[in-house]
Amino acid sequence: MTVRRTGRHPRTCPLLLAMFLLSLSVQWVTAASEYDPYKILGVSRSASQPEIKRAYKNLAREWHPDKNKDPNAEDMFIKISKSYEILSNEERRSNFDRYGQMDENQPFGQSQHHGFRSFHNSFYFDESFFQFPRSRDFADSKYLLHHAQFNNDVLPDSYKRPYLIKVTSDWCFACIHIEPVWKETVQQLEPLGVGIGIVDLGYERRLANQLGAHRAPSIIGLVNGRVTFFHQAVVQEHLRQFIEDLLPHKLVEKITDNNYMTFLDSWRVENKPTVLLFDQVPMVPLLYKLTAFAFRDYVRFGFVDQGDTHNTRLLRQFNINTYAPTMLLFKEDTEKPVDIIQARGMKRQIMDEFVSNNKFLQVPRLVNQQLFDELCPVKQFHRRRKYCVLLITGEDQTFLPGNKAFLDFASANKKDVLRFAYVYQHQQQPLCQALLPNQASLTPQVVILERRSQAGKVLYRSVSGGWNGSEEDKYRLHEQLELLQKDPAYLSSDAVLPELNNEMAPIFIIRWINAAYDYILQIYDDLLYSNWREMMPILSLIFSALFILFGTVIIQAFSEPGENKPQKPKPKEQPQTDDDDASSRTNSSSRPPKKDFVEVTELTDITYTSNLVKLRPGHINVVLVLTSASKNALLRKFAKEVFSFSGTQTLHFSFLNADKHRHWMPSLLRSASDTAESEGQSDEDEESLDYTGHVLALNGHKRYFCLFRPVFTGDSSNDSSSETSFSDRKRKSRSRSRSSSHSRSRSHSREDGACPKRGSSRATSIELHHKLDRLGLWMERLMEGTLPRFQVPAWPFLHETTNTSFSES
């Protein structure tokens, strides 16, 4: 019987599986076909972008909820907008044509999964039993944010209005509980001008990571590009207060009878119109704060509490109706407002239109490039010509009458094609020099210009006669403006204007303090609410700095007291012969000054091998050749010249006594000559030369040296050479004929200054002191590596023996 039962299941299972797959396929097809942007807009799949745009405009005009009273007009209008959003973007349109997907961040090939979600969401269990989430309302789709949309639209727009963003996901049970409160908050805050957004944590993981949201539900506030998390109970009052706290402080100033004149007169410094709102409430309404935040770069806002007894004079002066909120807008005239609105139910749209039409003074001062671009836009069409009448003036009190006359002229000649403005020549010197290249002195001048390109090209003409504010100046300016409107070619000059200086930009220290304040607030918020994922890099940096700081303190505390004190180096005592014992004892008591102290070692049989023959690779020994008689004077001068190079770890300093080792220097020069050429001078002649004051830079590892020949003071110019190198001698030797005698060769060498003259040992102390005058320059060339190098096959012995040189293994 068991066998019979197992035989029945293979017959029934395929049938049930086929029915399930069939119903699933039907749901897929239905989900894919229920939303077709081409059908909604009524265009074909091959329609061009102009055709799609034309169809969208017609349908949007027809189904706009304000014009169409159909109950389904709002849903249809949302579908039309969503369809145009998909088809107007070529990438989204291509994804929809290929895969049927409408989300630009949805991976390719996942439209079937979307269909399965729609199929699954069609089956609802009783919510009171399983609490399964229902499908998202179609109205919420207009709030869904994508990564590209957030960075291109929402993030820049957050500098004009705050955003309240909800992070949610499918199968989020906690999201269901806050949904009613969220909808009520959206209905209340969105008409006030608060931006609303929804981020799906499952499908917008990249955007969620950018926001720092790693769990659902989360509510985020976005203002000025800064993300702030909401951590209180999700109730409508808390969310409203959360948005209000995100706004910058001092957006709206409290105005009373004591400070209203100061507030209205601030247009001279701030270069902005001022707005006063009169209302019965003691606190500034959120609607008014949001409007002030949107126009904070253009207008200053003040609030007057009508119920405060300290505002009676203000209410009486402007005859304010206490039964409805009133807004007054002032420009240069602080006694009379230029515009007034009064309404019981003040709407955001009315306030925006009221401020937008009056966001510039009648004659504003050009303080930055953005204001210049808005006041004097670039010419685009012939019907949209905008001429900018610019007064170039000064800041002193003597210019005030002329500036006041220019303001009166602008108030009497208001036209849509004319924009009046002024600049201070001292603040905008590059602009003034471009418009008035031949005017050096500061005299007020009026310039009429028209911008032709964003690169700064303008056509302009300066009004002859300058500007003093007289009636004659006004008549002359009015006449030229009339000629300009009749003939646009009246502007005969052209120039390229530089970008304007930003006079209102805060100094660096203020910006640094503001940035540090925001950073500290962010750290405090993360620490308070344990946002450890965001805090880990900051905490790691802080602990690393503390570890380095305390580690340094501990090392210094446990180090020996004498380690950090500079020890005075002791001169090495070298074995001396009986001939110079007296001079050595005399020298031992007089050390060179500490400032020019250099440790110099004598090359002897003991130190010769370690300081030259087996010198470490990369190290150079600078050797001074001297005699017993010139030792004191030359060592002092040598220490002074090389003191600035004594800190180099690869340089060592020594001296060679020519009286003790008179054969070493001729042997070294002869070995270098033998390497380069076969000729040379006789041993007796070379050993008879005086090498006092010569300096050698010896590289023991690579077996080469550089030679410094001293300056001979008091001799003729033919005999003096500050830096005659050994290569001069070699080049002159090559130029001689090989048949010439050794005596003639020596004569040529001495005439050219290649060898020093004899008899220098009897020179005075002043002559010895000046032999090393240019050693410092030679050391600089040594460190740069630009001195000629002379190779030697091996270093000679200090004493003349049968073996004349060392050879390295």
Side-chain angles (χ1 to χ4, degrees), residues 502-521:
N502 190 359
E503 301 177 20
M504 297 298 180
I507 60 177
F508 172 76
I509 187 65
I510 300 299
R511 287 181 292 174
W512 185 86
I513 291 175
N514 292 335
Y517 176 75
D518 294 339
Y519 194 66
I520 292 174
L521 286 182

Side-chain angles (χ1 to χ4, degrees), residues 593-805:
K594 185 178 181 180
K595 181 177 67 173
D596 297 333
F597 179 82
V598 179
E599 183 178 0
V600 183
T601 307
E602 182 180 2
L603 287 182
T604 61
D605 295 335
I606 301 175
T607 61
Y608 184 71
T609 301
S610 60
N611 288 357
L612 178 59
V613 179
K614 294 184 178 181
L615 195 64
R616 285 181 293 177
H619 288 241
I620 294 178
N621 196 350
V622 181
V623 180
L624 169 66
V625 180
L626 47 77
T627 59
S628 299
S630 62
K631 180 178 179 181
N632 299 336
L634 287 181
L635 276 181
R636 283 193 296 269
K637 180 66 174 178
F638 181 71
K640 183 177 181 180
E641 292 292 331
V642 303
F643 174 73
S644 59
F645 305 92
S646 59
T648 307
Q649 299 295 330
T650 57
L651 288 182
H652 307 273
F653 302 97
S654 305
F655 70 89
L656 178 73
N657 195 329
D659 294 339
K660 300 179 184 178
H661 314 288
R662 61 186 183 86
H663 300 286
W664 186 85
M665 189 71 177
S667 301
L668 179 66
L669 299 180
R670 185 169 53 253
S671 61
S673 297
D674 292 342
T675 304
E677 56 185 65
S678 59
E679 295 182 6
Q681 295 179 341
S682 64
D683 296 344
E684 293 180 1
D685 191 23
E686 288 193 357
E687 291 175 3
S688 63
L689 296 177
D690 182 16
Y691 295 103
T692 304
H694 286 61
V695 180
L696 300 169
L698 308 174
N699 191 318
H701 180 71
K702 293 187 177 181
R703 293 198 295 273
Y704 72 81
F705 68 92
C706 303
L707 178 63
F708 169 80
R709 292 179 178 275
V711 177
F712 290 93
T713 307
D715 296 337
S716 62
S717 60
N718 294 335
D719 292 333
S720 63
S721 174
S722 63
E723 201 174 321
T724 306
S725 63
F726 192 66
S727 58
D728 297 337
R729 179 180 175 185
K730 293 197 295 183
R731 286 195 296 270
K732 292 177 176 61
S733 297
R734 294 192 189 101
S735 64
R736 307 187 197 102
S737 62
R738 295 184 178 275
S739 60
S740 60
S741 64
H742 292 289
S743 63
R744 185 178 179 181
S745 175
R746 289 193 301 270
S747 176
H748 275 286
S749 177
R750 290 171 186 171
E751 288 175 3
D752 295 335
C755 295
K757 296 174 66 176
R758 290 187 226 176
S760 297
S761 60
R762 294 186 300 271
T764 63
S765 60
I766 298 179
E767 291 175 334
L768 289 175
H769 179 74
H770 286 288
K771 279 190 174 185
L772 302 180
D773 276 351
R774 300 189 181 180
L775 180 60
L777 299 177
W778 183 83
M779 289 293 297
E780 291 181 1
R781 292 187 58 190
L782 173 65
M783 300 303 295
E784 295 172 358
T786 58
L787 292 176
R789 301 176 179 179
F790 309 108
Q791 297 288 339
V792 293
W795 297 111
F797 285 101
L798 278 179
H799 297 283
E800 185 179 19
T801 57
T802 55
N803 298 328
T804 60
S805 62

Side-chain angles (χ1 to χ4, degrees), residues 21 53 376:
L21 292 178
K53 187 175 183 180
C376 306

Side-chain angles (χ1 to χ4, degrees), residues 23 88 93 124 205 209 212 224 269 272 324 427 439 442 562 588 630 656 662 669 678 697 699 732 802 806 808:
S23 62
S88 61
R93 181 179 179 181
Y124 300 124
R205 179 64 64 177
N209 291 335
N224 290 333
V269 179
K272 299 176 184 179
Q427 298 290 344
Q439 182 175 348
L442 177 57
S588 60
S630 62
L656 178 73
R662 61 186 183 86
L669 299 180
S678 59
N699 191 318
K732 292 177 176 61
T802 55
F806 287 97
E808 296 184 6

Side-chain angles (χ1 to χ4, degrees), residues 42-113:
V43 295
S44 62
R45 289 185 173 269
S46 60
S48 61
Q49 287 295 333
E51 294 175 353
I52 295 174
K53 187 175 183 180
R54 193 180 308 112
Y56 165 71
K57 287 185 177 181
N58 295 333
L59 291 174
R61 192 181 303 111
E62 177 184 356
W63 289 96
H64 197 279
D66 295 340
K67 298 181 180 180
N68 196 322
K69 302 304 180 183
D70 193 314
N72 299 325
E74 184 178 358
D75 294 341
M76 188 62 186
F77 183 77
I78 294 174
K79 291 182 180 181
I80 293 170
S81 301
K82 184 66 176 179
S83 301
Y84 178 71
E85 182 183 351
I86 295 172
L87 298 184
S88 61
N89 190 306
E90 293 295 338
E91 183 178 357
R92 294 183 181 181
R93 181 179 179 181
S94 177
N95 293 342
F96 180 81
D97 292 341
R98 293 182 181 181
Y99 309 104
Q101 66 184 42
M102 294 168 288
D103 188 354
E104 62 178 356
N105 292 314
Q106 179 182 351
F108 294 161
Q110 287 191 1
S111 58
Q112 292 85 355
H113 297 282

